[in-house]
Amino acid sequence: LEGYQMYAVDNWVLDRQQVPILVVHTGDAAHKITVSALSPPSQTDWDTVLAWLRRHANAKPKETPYGSLLVTSLAQFRSDFTIVQIPDGNLESAKPQLFTNINLLRMGCSGRSGLTLEEPSDTTKDRFISTYFLPDNHLTGAEKASSLFNDTVLELVKLVQVSLHIFGYYKPSSFDGLLCDFTVEALRLWVNEIGEQLVEGLDSMERTADPSTVASLLSLVLAVRNRL
C-alpha cells in the first residue's frame, strides 16, 4: 500500500498482541507498507478487534482497494509507549533486528539507549558476548556481522524458551527468540519453583535473563537428558 508508514509498539510486541503495530496515513507515494489481509471468522471477532484498536490506538477504518485499514494518528497515541518506525514498512523483514534489539535492552547489554532498528554498536555486541561468556573467538571481526550476531542473540533466547517449555512453563505458539513478557515470567517461575531447589546458589534473577539463570536452566536440561 502506498501513502502509509508503519510503527511497531514495543509494549504490544512484548505482550504478543495480535496486531503489534500502528499504521499512519501520510499521503506520500514514497511511503509504502506491506500488510496482511485478514478475514475474521465472525462479525463479533471483527468488532472486538476494532474496539481494541479504537480504545488503545484511537484507530479508525480507512478504505483501500483491498479492504479496510485501521489508521491512527501519532499525535493522538499515548506517549508512555515506545514506537519504532519500520523503515520499509514490512514488519516480517524487520523482526530479526527488532527482536534482537529488544532482547539486548532487556538483558542489560544496550545500556540506557532507547529502542531502535539500528544495528547494535560494537560495544553492545561485546557486552553481550562477555555477559554470556561466549568463546573469545566467537563473533569477532568479520563474524560480528549484523545477521550472524542477530541469529546468535535470537538462538540463545530460543534455547531458553525450548528449555522452559520442557519444564512446562512456556506454552506459546512459537519459539521465535523474542524475550517477551511471557518468557520473562516463565523464567521467573522456573527459578522460584525449580531452579532454587535444584541448583545450588541460584537465587531470584537480579535482571532479566541473568547469565547464571540461563546457564543453570540449560545445564539442568542437559543433565536430565544425559541421565535419561
Side-chain angles (χ1 to χ4, degrees):
L1 294 174
E2 294 183 351
Y4 298 91
Q5 288 183 329
M6 179 184 295
Y7 295 81
V9 184
D10 70 337
N11 303 69
W12 295 354
V13 173
L14 292 174
D15 196 34
R16 294 191 179 276
Q17 291 292 336
Q18 185 178 8
V19 183
I21 59 170
L22 299 175
V23 173
V24 176
H25 179 250
T26 65
D28 188 338
H31 297 159
K32 299 179 181 181
I33 62 173
T34 300
V35 294
S36 299
L38 304 179
S39 180
S42 70
Q43 185 63 39
T44 300
D45 292 312
W46 178 242
D47 291 340
T48 300
V49 173
L50 285 177
W52 190 90
L53 286 170
R54 284 196 183 103
R55 183 169 66 253
H56 294 281
N58 197 29
K60 299 177 181 178
K62 183 177 180 61
E63 292 305 316
T64 75
Y66 306 99
S68 297
L69 184 67
L70 277 298
V71 178
T72 191
S73 168
L74 294 183
Q76 297 177 334
F77 188 66
R78 52 191 301 175
S79 59
D80 57 330
F81 279 11
T82 299
I83 59 174
V84 181
Q85 183 182 349
I86 308 300
D88 60 356
N90 190 325
L91 181 62
E92 289 304 314
S93 65
K95 274 184 177 180
Q97 193 66 66
L98 178 63
F99 286 7
T100 295
N101 291 359
I102 288 176
N103 291 350
L104 292 172
L105 276 172
R106 304 201 91 178
M107 291 170 169
C109 298
S110 296
R112 297 184 178 181
S113 59
L115 179 62
T116 70
L117 272 178
E118 297 178 0
E119 180 181 350
S121 66
D122 284 348
T123 300
T124 295
K125 293 179 180 180
D126 291 338
R127 189 177 294 132
F128 170 79
I129 293 170
S130 62
T131 296
Y132 290 94
F133 297 94
L134 297 177
D136 292 338
N137 61 348
H138 187 58
L139 295 176
T140 58
E143 293 185 348
K144 204 183 288 183
S146 177
S147 59
L148 180 58
F149 179 80
N150 291 352
D151 288 345
T152 302
V153 175
L154 298 177
E155 199 65 31
L156 176 63
V157 178
K158 287 179 185 178
L159 288 174
V160 169
Q161 291 173 331
V162 171
S163 299
L164 290 169
H165 179 69
I166 290 173
F167 282 100
Y169 285 91
Y170 181 76
K171 302 177 182 179
S173 58
S174 65
F175 304 102
D176 54 11
L178 171 65
L179 197 55
C180 64
D181 292 342
F182 299 102
T183 305
V184 172
E185 177 62 14
L187 201 51
R188 185 190 67 80
L189 288 174
W190 181 86
V191 170
N192 293 337
E193 298 178 4
I194 292 182
E196 288 182 342
Q197 283 70 42
L198 297 182
V199 181
E200 184 178 354
L202 183 64
D203 298 320
S204 299
M205 290 189 296
E206 295 182 0
R207 60 181 173 181
T208 302
D210 187 80
S212 61
T213 300
V214 173
S216 299
L217 173 64
L218 300 183
S219 297
L220 190 56
V221 170
L222 291 174
V224 171
R225 181 185 184 280
N226 291 338
R227 288 292 295 274
L228 289 173

